[in-house]
């Protein structure tokens, strides 16, 4: 078993805001992250899959195909978007890095079969900033 | 003469949108950067000043004081903000990295005297992403 | 279960020196790391906690609070200090990155309850240089 | 148990080319990575070992000795080389990052005893580019 | 005047080898860089242009267009190639980073007019490794 | 004219302390940087030279030789040392990054002739931390 990772990136706006709360409570809990008019980040996304290398190619998975899959299924839906408003798969969820990583896992787990019959999704690692990041293993 | 630099960072939303143009023309010129509901970035800001080291301290400028100045005069006004909506010094200007760097120069050039009588502002370097950045020398 | 990480940094002096040994043996075992008058590093510290996201916030833990805890309980005690001389929690221990990571774990495991009732400490990752680092999972 | 890592680097040429296939099939499967006249990378190699810190040194392993071992047993054999042509331990194998990481594991697992009687090899992490990397745990 | 930069990257094989010299002299002068079967690098290329921001766009140059130009005119010709063998514009020249930067300058200076009538090329910065790089200003 | 750079690194202890002042004044001016028992950093040093590429080699300067010169004349004198106590060329000077860069310039300007008859020293860039750095051009 070997683990293979591909890093992609996207830029997005968001805010942390619970619509069931008053503005005051949002401000108290989330501070500047609740700014009414949004803020944003350069997100870095690392997708890790696991499997055995194919003897004919030496690959667990073709990273060009994995990159294309991530771009088509994830990056195109979040890049230069507002995570609270523009992204159907985040509708009704707090736009936290935790929730975003979990939803990206769900999407890629379903679609990974289109680039490899044998590799399995292992980890979604998502950097909101170089100092704040999350990891999800399903 | 020696050049001394301090790096700070902030997270902000923006869009590239000329209100004198139709939405179609904005979309044509700016593409996804014109997204109605904004997108955002982790900006990195490097401020460079120049001067002679003071023999008593070895410093051109006390970098703790320079950092405090940048945070008070720039970072607090742009961090976790929307550059098009929330930032008075960007009002009426396109929210490009070029214009943002020029405005940050104007602010810091006026205020640098409060941290050093002898150092002069040399350069504002502003990263919008790790791959896109601008430099302004006044 | 999702894993959330926060990176902080500090600058410190230290030496690797076993006081039960002769200077010659220290020099033989530790080489330049045993330099009598110390050397130092910019340390990077990554603290990882794990838990379920709170549905109201989307957070496993509020990273602002986790950052404040790390700064108060760890960074203030080691930043701009001498790890062999100035840091009570390292007294009587070799000032290696391994031992420093273990002691930071002990401190944060005890205090994490003050920022979250449900999150648990998962890993202390400590970079002494960009090329040398340790990880401790308790 | 604590995990200690050392990063080294090397520069090498390679191509992805299965000699049992036609040139057309290689081009179809590997695209530009099959370029007849090779391409190359700056590889970053992170070697992680695990064990208990020695009370006399504070070390799981002396990182200077681990670095020397990696350089002697791995880096000297691949740095400024062609992975398909010049490296005996890759003979007959596809020159993928996956296979390279597995072979490096085999070499270092055999030799680690020469720098530590107690530490065990934990992970070989190999970056082909900053965006493509693999991890192997034996 | 403001300076705007875009970073791209490519992977290539090369060797430093003067065909007018004996193999022994090449080995003596270039050491492992003269390895017969090539070695390679992940190159990072930073292209800087200068000009005044357009009041309608806030741009000195549209970085998407600059990126497309660099990819079409430079990256496609060197990425996953052998700099000594596969790249017409390097024919007959030593494949040093210095010479590569000078040739990239010549190409982009000629073509920059297609993305901006007013911006001028300022600098080609080329990293062969994170520790070795060159800058050329024409 | 082309500019060629080489990055090296060293780890050192220091403090900012003016022995002509009282401890109180040092504490007031330098804050934690004046800590009696020192602190330290991982310094990154970038040395830039300028000249014309030699047609026979494609080199302005052989970077292996420049690296060896920097290591012999600078790194060996400061690495794993205390900049205030162990480094003769810093005796009697405040151990600031500014002063350290100026002294490194003086050393390398004198010695550069031993690796190249034609290249001239252009810049010493010295990072004390990733966020604080100086540049000196003689």
């Amino acid at each position: 078993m070997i683990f293979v990772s591909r890093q992609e990136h996207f830029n997005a706006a968001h805010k942390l805001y619970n619509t069931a709360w008053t503005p005051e409570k949002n401000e108290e809990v989330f501070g500047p992250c609740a700014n009414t008019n949004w803020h944003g980040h350069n997100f870095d996304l690392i997708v890790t899959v696991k499997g055995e290398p194919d003897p004919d190619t030496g690959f667990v998975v073709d990273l060009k195909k994995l990159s294309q899959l991530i771009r088509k299924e994830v990056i195109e839906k979040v890049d230069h978007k507002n995570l609270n408003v523009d992204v159907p798969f985040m509708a009704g969820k707090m736009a936290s890095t935790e929730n975003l990583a979990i939803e990206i896992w769900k999407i890629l787990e379903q679609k990974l079969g289109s680039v490899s019959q044998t590799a399995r999704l292992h980890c979604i690692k998502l950097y909101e900033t170089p100092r704040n990041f999350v990891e999800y293993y399903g």
Side-chain angles (χ1 to χ4, degrees), chain A:
Chain A
M1 180 81 77
I2 191 161
F3 299 78
V4 179
S5 297
R6 172 69 192 170
Q7 182 173 328
E8 303 287 345
H9 60 96
F10 59 94
N11 309 320
H14 78 149
K15 66 178 164 187
L16 295 169
Y17 198 90
N18 186 331
T19 54
W21 292 349
T22 62
E24 290 71 26
K25 175 133 192 210
N26 275 288
E27 165 73 20
E28 181 198 321
V29 173
F30 298 118
C33 297
N35 180 48
T36 305
N37 295 318
W38 325 96
H39 66 286
H41 300 286
N42 303 328
F43 289 88
D44 279 314
L45 168 64
I46 301 176
V47 175
T48 302
V49 301
K50 60 187 170 190
E52 300 285 341
D54 180 317
D56 285 344
T57 60
F59 286 169
V60 169
V61 62
D62 183 331
L63 280 179
K64 268 196 314 296
K65 289 185 184 168
L66 181 62
S67 171
Q68 287 163 355
L69 179 74
I70 302 168
R71 291 183 193 210
K72 175 164 173 253
E73 300 295 339
V74 178
I75 303 301
E76 286 187 11
K77 293 172 180 165
V78 292
D79 190 35
H80 286 81
K81 301 291 188 196
N82 183 312
L83 300 176
N84 301 61
V85 177
D86 295 329
V87 180
F89 69 71
M90 291 297 288
K93 299 183 186 71
M94 293 297 297
S96 70
T97 317
E98 286 91 329
N99 284 345
L100 188 52
I102 292 169
E103 297 306 312
I104 292 171
W105 172 282
K106 289 181 194 164
I107 292 169
L108 291 178
E109 198 187 26
Q110 274 203 328
K111 301 284 186 180
L112 187 59
S114 68
V115 300
S116 167
Q117 292 303 315
T118 54
R120 279 173 297 139
L121 189 59
H122 176 66
C123 183
I124 299 297
K125 185 173 187 176
L126 185 58
Y127 285 82
E128 186 180 82
T129 73
R131 297 190 172 278
N132 291 352
F133 60 93
V134 307
E135 290 155 290
Y136 184 62
Y137 297 85

